[in-house]
Structures are given as structure tokens and as C-alpha cells.
Amino acid sequence: MSRNKRQVFRQQLDVPLTARMRVVKKGMQDEPEFNHKIYIHDIGLEGIGFSVDTEVPMHTDVEFSIKLNDEPFQIRGEVVWGKLNDPNDPNTRESHIFGVKFYLQTDKESSLIFQEVNRFAIQRHRRKQEIREMMKERLKKQAEG
């Protein structure tokens, strides 16, 4: 059964998260380094949406080095969609945008992604609340003084 992507939890990022990517070539030696800087625009339990300044063919295997919640981890996936960015779109940073579906082979991997993405979402929510409270306090002081 195919899942609608809107049914899967995804954390939209107001400020893209930077990470590193490398291309994994089947039957050939992998690129030795995570040599492509990417900007993650959304992350979910099954994959990510990111922009990068290089073309990545459809169905290419890629591996990411991501630091989420101060925890570095690496995860592989497959490019399932891609397009050129609109140069006038302020929400993207690079020339191409792609979607990747993670290869989650064990319950342990799925659980790790679930925990880290949820923890990330909670921390972002708390930080936004802190900023709102700080701004309210600042405006209140300006109005009084």
C-alpha cells in the first residue's frame, strides 16, 4: 500500500539545517568523503527534502552525515524526486532540490530516526516559545519605558 507523504510526520525547517552528502555508486567504490554541502528543508521519519548545488540523478543512492540534536549520525537513502529550484524562491538555497527516501532496514534504525526527529521537533518548538516570550517581554519593556 502506498502512503501519501502528507500522512507521514515531517518537520518543516524555517531555517535549513546544513549537512553533508556523498553519492554511493553501485558496483563502484563510494566517494570517500561527504563532499557535497546540502541544506535540509524538511526531515521526517521516512526521508528528507534538501537543496544542493549539483545534479543528482533519480534513483541514485546517497548517504548523509547529519548532526541532529547534537548527535551526529549517518543514513542512506534513494533520490525519489528532484527539480531545478526557482531562483526567486527565498526558501531554497541551491540550484537543485531533491527528495530522498531513507533505507531503514531494522526497527532499531526506524526507532532512532523517530526519536531524533521527534526530539528535534520538540526542541525547535520550545525554542520558538522562548523567543516569543522574550519578544513579548521586550515589547512590554519598550511600551513601559
Side-chain angles (χ1 to χ4, degrees), residues 52-137:
V52 65
D53 203 18
T54 189
E55 177 71 33
V56 183
M58 294 295 293
H59 307 294
T60 298
D61 288 347
V62 290
E63 185 173 13
F64 302 97
S65 179
I66 301 171
K67 191 172 187 178
L68 198 60
N69 307 316
D70 295 324
E71 294 291 326
F73 66 96
Q74 295 176 357
I75 190 162
R76 285 189 180 200
E78 175 187 4
V79 175
V80 293
W81 64 267
K83 65 180 182 176
L84 285 171
N85 274 335
D86 176 355
N88 299 319
D89 183 351
N91 296 318
T92 56
R93 300 241 174 142
E94 300 293 346
S95 61
H96 295 80
I97 190 161
F98 296 98
V100 166
K101 181 169 177 43
F102 292 144
Y103 293 140
L104 300 175
Q105 299 174 352
T106 66
D107 288 341
K108 185 178 178 180
E109 287 177 322
S110 296
S111 178
L112 174 67
I113 291 294
F114 178 78
Q115 289 173 6
E116 292 303 319
V117 170
N118 280 338
R119 192 163 60 130
F120 181 72
I122 290 166
Q123 287 177 348
R124 286 179 50 81
H125 179 73
R126 285 182 182 155
R127 181 68 183 136
K128 284 181 180 180
Q129 285 180 319
E130 289 171 5
I131 290 170
R132 279 189 209 111
E133 290 301 317
M134 195 170 58
M135 294 305 293
K136 283 181 188 177
E137 197 62 34

